Amino acid sequence: MWIKGHLDPSWQEWFEDLQIAPHGPDTTALYGSLVDQAALYRVLLKIRSLGLVLLSLEADEFSSTQEEQ
């Protein structure tokens, strides 16, 4: 996930198991694995509740396919 602005690492507990990584002049990457779709929705609701701007969301299909095997 890419968020507009820089998030302080102290916000880590708000974002489940995702890692916070500043990127570029005004962007933060949230990356990592979430246990299920409900966890994704919780993170998206937190982003909305905090008034943050979600720039993009990417899924790694390889990881989900690998877990099914």
Side-chain angles (χ1 to χ4, degrees), residues 1 11-13 15-20 29-34 39-40 43 47:
M1 281 181 218
W11 289 38
Q12 184 65 55
E13 67 185 56
F15 296 106
E16 306 275 333
D17 292 329
L18 298 178
Q19 300 300 310
I20 296 174
L30 298 177
Y31 65 93
S33 297
L34 295 170
L40 172 61
V43 170
I47 289 170

